[in-house]
Amino acid sequence: MNFDEKDDYYAVNFEGLDCAEIEIEAKEFDNCTFTKCDFSEAHFKKCKFIECDFVNCNLSLAKVEYSRFADVTFRNSKLIGIDWTTVAWSNLVKEAPVRFHQSIVNDCSFYGLCLQELVLEECKAHGVDFREGDFTGSNFTFTDLSGCLFGNCRLVGVDFSGAVNYGIDVYQNDIKGAKFSRFEALRLLDSLEVELVD
């Protein structure tokens, strides 16, 4: 597939594309499904993704500078090391326009973003930077949050049911109404500097 062609608009399904390290600029993808495509280290610049699905794709270390996302879902995909702060997020819609299901999102950055109702379900999310973000009403169920950074976050009503390995300081984050699994919630006591005894 040669995205250097004059065609700037795509409304088709793609399967098995090998687009590693390719640069794609100012293209619009509307209602497209990408299946088993390799976009590792690709550079999406000023692209638009509208109602698209990525299934079993590799987007590790991809750059998404000034691109826009609207109702985009990633399933069983690898999205390691993506800086989501470079996306051209809409100021009008606070609800997160992206969803992640059973995907690997290690070492990504969502620093300072307002992505309410973000879905990060059954994912491996090691070392992700959520600091200074607003994730009100999000779904982080059954996600492994090892080494994630939560600082000055708005986590009101976030569902952490089944999530594991998180470290959230109750003094530095707003967790009002958040849901936690009973035993895993003991991690919240770490910030209280209390001693648990049997």
Side-chain angles (χ1 to χ4, degrees):
M1 187 72 194
N2 184 4
F3 289 106
D4 291 332
E5 297 175 353
K6 294 181 180 179
D7 196 356
D8 292 330
Y9 178 85
Y10 298 88
V12 296
N13 295 331
F14 301 94
E15 184 167 359
L17 291 181
D18 184 0
C19 293
E21 301 182 20
I22 193 173
E23 181 169 321
I24 303 172
E25 184 171 359
K27 306 295 184 184
E28 181 172 337
F29 301 92
D30 190 352
N31 201 28
C32 297
T33 297
F34 300 88
T35 305
K36 296 181 180 178
C37 296
D38 184 3
F39 290 108
S40 57
E41 298 187 62
H43 188 178
F44 296 101
K45 189 173 182 180
K46 297 181 181 178
C47 292
K48 291 182 181 178
F49 296 91
I50 303 167
E51 296 183 8
C52 292
D53 288 323
F54 289 82
V55 182
N56 293 314
C57 291
N58 183 3
L59 292 94
S60 294
L61 299 177
K63 295 181 180 178
V64 287
E65 295 170 349
Y66 310 110
S67 292
R68 293 185 177 273
F69 294 83
D71 197 16
V72 175
T73 302
F74 299 92
R75 299 180 190 278
N76 299 298
S77 294
K78 289 177 63 177
L79 303 108
I80 297 172
I82 295 178
D83 185 357
W84 293 97
T85 67
T86 63
V87 169
W89 301 107
S90 171
N91 293 327
L92 302 176
V93 181
K94 288 190 175 181
E95 182 180 329
V98 290
R99 293 177 297 279
F100 306 91
H101 299 275
Q102 299 174 326
S103 294
I104 302 173
V105 294
N106 295 349
D107 302 312
C108 287
S109 177
F110 294 94
Y111 181 90
L113 296 179
C114 179
L115 292 176
Q116 297 183 359
E117 300 183 30
L118 175 67
V119 175
L120 200 66
E121 186 176 39
E122 296 183 55
C123 291
K124 186 176 180 182
H126 294 183
V128 176
D129 191 349
F130 293 105
R131 291 175 299 167
E132 306 290 336
D134 182 353
F135 304 101
T136 299
S138 293
N139 176 2
F140 287 2
T141 55
F142 299 99
T143 289
D144 184 347
L145 298 163
S146 298
C148 287
L149 300 176
F150 292 96
N152 199 27
C153 287
R154 187 165 171 80
L155 303 170
V156 175
V158 174
D159 191 348
F160 287 97
S161 300
V164 296
N165 300 323
Y166 47 79
I168 300 173
D169 189 324
V170 297
Y171 293 118
Q172 294 184 4
N173 299 280
D174 186 352
I175 61 170
K176 183 177 180 181
K179 296 178 183 177
F180 299 92
S181 296
R182 186 179 305 277
F183 294 108
E184 196 68 22
L186 293 174
R187 291 179 170 276
L188 299 175
L189 298 178
D190 290 345
S191 60
L192 299 178
E193 297 182 4
V194 297
E195 181 181 351
L196 297 178
V197 295
D198 292 331

